[in-house]
Amino acid sequence: MTASDRQLEAKIRELLDARSRDSTICPSDVARAMSENEWRELMEPVRRAARRLVDAGEVEITQKGSVVDPSTAKGPIRIRWKR
């Protein structure tokens, strides 16, 4: 894992901490917080960071309010603290 991988994971935690415990964030929230101009290139690295946090038991990935398997999720996702 690289330093930037750890930074992305830390940013996910930071953004989730800044919201209510029941709130979710979008991967683009994380990417935009990391880079104003090149956020699109960070989208897949953010999704990978979220998957690592799912594997660590910290967060859940949802689609339309339901928890989904991050390895098979296609399309827009949201990230929330594990409930």
Side-chain angles (χ1 to χ4, degrees):
M1 184 175 352
T2 68
S4 61
D5 289 335
R6 284 189 291 279
Q7 288 173 326
L8 290 172
E9 290 176 10
K11 185 57 75 174
I12 290 170
R13 291 184 193 103
E14 178 186 323
L15 292 177
L16 285 172
D17 277 341
R19 300 196 181 186
S20 76
R21 189 75 184 168
D22 294 331
S23 293
T24 63
I25 60 172
C26 180
S28 66
D29 297 332
V30 180
R32 289 174 198 265
M34 297 297 286
S35 176
E36 212 173 281
N37 297 320
E38 298 170 11
W39 64 270
R40 285 179 182 83
E41 289 84 22
L42 290 174
M43 288 298 291
E44 188 51 37
V46 169
R47 289 173 73 104
R48 283 194 305 266
R51 287 193 292 270
R52 286 192 301 275
L53 292 175
V54 167
D55 290 343
E58 293 185 50
V59 303
E60 296 173 327
I61 291 178
T62 65
Q63 288 184 311
K64 298 180 183 170
S66 297
V67 176
V68 295
D69 180 343
S71 65
T72 58
K74 301 272 190 265
I77 62 168
R78 304 286 296 177
I79 306 163
R80 70 181 187 195
W81 287 120
K82 185 170 176 93
R83 295 185 180 161

